[in-house]
Amino acid sequence: MNPDTTHTHFDFSQAELVSQCLKVLSNPVRLKILCVLANAELNVQQIEAMTDIHQPTLSQQLTILRNHHMVTTRRDGKQIFYQIHDDKVLTLMQTLHQLYCQA
């Protein structure tokens, strides 16, 4: 494969942003959380049950995801619900599922 680089223009302006996103996704615990959130909005107890990630690890990792604007929260009484906030992250999670999780 010999790409024709004479007509290709690369925009590297978002390289740092993409790198930071991939660093966040590279953690297996955060990846599990995002996997279950790709299908539905879930509360902390549901995420814990589906991923077998326990406190305080779950809270720490959810905070990191929230700080990187990958998830958002909604409070309903004492329950806090999480959902994927960034459509790009959702698309990425769906793509990763297709590539690695389907037989």
Side-chain angles (χ1 to χ4, degrees):
M1 185 170 161
N2 187 12
D4 181 8
T5 57
T6 59
H7 293 85
T8 305
H9 173 69
F10 295 101
D11 178 6
F12 297 118
S13 65
Q14 297 300 312
E16 184 65 30
L17 177 67
V18 172
S19 176
Q20 289 301 314
C21 177
L22 293 174
K23 285 178 187 177
V24 173
L25 293 176
S26 70
N27 178 286
V29 172
R30 291 190 291 266
L31 195 57
K32 286 180 187 179
I33 294 167
L34 289 171
C35 281
V36 298
L37 291 176
N39 295 318
E41 176 187 63
L42 301 170
N43 67 35
V44 175
Q45 291 78 20
Q46 292 168 317
I47 297 169
E48 183 175 10
M50 294 175 78
T51 62
D52 200 32
I53 302 167
H54 304 291
Q55 299 286 347
T57 302
L58 182 58
S59 291
Q60 292 170 344
Q61 299 308 319
L62 285 167
T63 298
I64 291 169
L65 291 170
R66 201 171 49 245
N67 289 343
H68 283 87
H69 308 288
M70 291 188 176
V71 299
T72 187
T73 61
R74 176 181 66 84
R75 181 177 289 277
D76 186 3
K78 292 184 179 184
Q79 300 280 338
I80 297 177
F81 289 86
Y82 289 82
Q83 65 182 358
I84 292 180
H85 173 71
D86 187 338
D87 288 338
K88 292 174 187 161
V89 172
L90 180 58
T91 300
L92 188 54
M93 295 309 300
Q94 291 166 338
T95 302
L96 290 172
H97 182 266
Q98 289 174 350
L99 291 173
Y100 294 102
C101 301
Q102 293 182 346

